[in-house]
Amino acid sequence: GDGLSEEEEGLSPVERSIVTKPAQKAEMSLSRLSSSGSRIVRRGMAYTQSKETYDKVFQTFATHRACAVLRTPTAEAAPKAMAAAIAGGFKIAEFTLTTPGCLDAIADFRTKYEGEVMVGCGTVMSVLDAENAMDAGAEFIITPILIPEVVDWCSKRQIVNVPGCQTPTELHTAYKMGAPIQKVFPGVAGAVAWVKAVSAALPMLKLNPTSGVDLDNAGEYLKSGAFGVGLVAPLFNPEDIKAENWDQIQANAVKVITNVKQAGPYVGK
């Protein structure tokens, strides 16, 4: 009833007194929207990747098919363990946010292995986690469960994201949301046979089992319809990490990569 516009209704008297011109009004609205928690206003689509980058990341997964997934209890162990896996043949490295110093490790490995190894971030649980990972230089985003807002955020920015799913319905939901690869986590009863059945029934999916994959059966998963595999504890045995037995981790990598290479690159259905 006092002749105020809708924008001005929400302003304090002090804010209202300085909003006299349309340009100032627009600026005030923008700052209010920004301070209300909308990161989009402040940062826009700053994290958007080019189609070429997106395709390159996806193709790297399709070509090499095995990702070294690292969780270590200390920041000191992480780079040593991952370097051992890379020395053994891994071309895709995932540092998880549950590892101390994860973001520093991502940044360091992006610099050290630029053009040789693709580096990404796992155990991403929110959009903020994803932003922090991208700031560190992550080339892909992996979540342990299906988090719709993270899939949506990544998909809109052409960032390859791999959400964790447990059922065929969840896997297909992730695919429909825009996740180009779907992580099967945790391990499922039936293992290789389950992946074979689901990939045959739902050929549009790109299944990436992690839990349940070991040094011996990784190739079997790939020959049975899996798009890729993630190696966690069988590659990075906690006892080897504790004993700083990096040679053993490298030997594990050599063994699993030999099996993976026998399966060859992914050929789409």
Side-chain angles (χ1 to χ4, degrees), residues 221-235:
Y221 273 100
L222 299 176
K223 291 171 187 172
S224 301
F227 175 77
V229 290
L231 276 295
V232 196
L235 172 63

Side-chain angles (χ1 to χ4, degrees), residues 74-267:
T74 67
E76 294 73 33
K80 295 171 184 173
M82 189 63 85
I86 291 169
F90 273 87
K91 298 292 184 185
I92 307 173
E94 175 193 336
F95 291 95
T96 56
L97 283 173
T98 44
T99 295
C102 167
L103 298 175
D104 290 334
I106 289 170
D108 291 345
F109 273 65
R110 274 304 307 275
T111 303
K112 186 175 181 182
Y113 293 98
E114 183 62 49
E116 298 173 44
V117 176
M118 186 167 73
V119 182
C121 187
T123 321
V124 169
M125 296 300 294
S126 66
V127 168
L128 181 58
D129 282 349
E131 288 181 334
N132 290 336
M134 295 302 290
D135 283 338
E139 295 175 89
F140 58 87
I141 297 294
I142 299 191
T143 62
I145 55 175
L146 179 56
I147 306 171
E149 58 268 30
V150 174
V151 176
D152 184 60
W153 186 86
C154 289
S155 299
K156 284 177 178 171
R157 287 158 182 77
Q158 297 195 114
I159 297 166
V160 172
N161 64 106
V162 187
C165 306
Q166 174 76 146
T167 66
T169 299
E170 241 188 342
L171 290 159
H172 187 258
T173 299
Y175 161 77
K176 293 289 281 184
M177 284 178 179
I181 305 166
Q182 306 84 37
K183 170 176 166 176
V184 182
F185 178 82
V188 288
V192 173
W194 188 95
V195 167
K196 187 172 186 176
V198 174
S199 63
L202 300 166
M204 74 292 292
L205 300 183
K206 302 287 184 286
L207 304 180
N208 191 89
T210 51
S211 167
V213 179
D214 62 35
L215 307 181
D216 297 305
N217 68 15
E220 285 306 306
Y221 273 100
L222 299 176
K223 291 171 187 172
S224 301
F227 175 77
V229 290
L231 276 295
V232 196
L235 172 63
F236 298 112
N237 186 310
E239 292 303 313
D240 289 331
I241 289 173
K242 190 175 180 181
E244 300 189 0
N245 191 353
W246 314 126
D247 288 345
Q248 184 59 52
I249 290 173
Q250 183 174 338
N252 293 345
V254 169
K255 183 174 183 179
V256 72
I257 291 297
T258 299
N259 288 333
V260 167
K261 282 184 174 175
Q262 286 172 359
Y266 179 80
V267 179

Side-chain angles (χ1 to χ4, degrees), residues 1-47:
D2 51 7
L4 295 174
S5 68
E6 280 186 35
E7 292 92 346
E8 289 168 329
E9 284 283 3
L11 301 179
S12 70
V14 174
E15 288 171 328
R16 221 176 286 149
S17 70
I18 61 171
V19 178
T20 54
K21 297 175 185 172
Q24 286 175 305
K25 280 188 180 181
E27 202 174 304
M28 181 63 74
S29 296
L30 198 64
S31 68
R32 285 177 63 77
L33 193 55
S34 171
S35 64
S36 72
S38 171
R39 306 183 73 82
I40 293 171
V41 173
R42 286 186 287 114
R43 305 175 85 156
M45 300 294 278
Y47 295 93

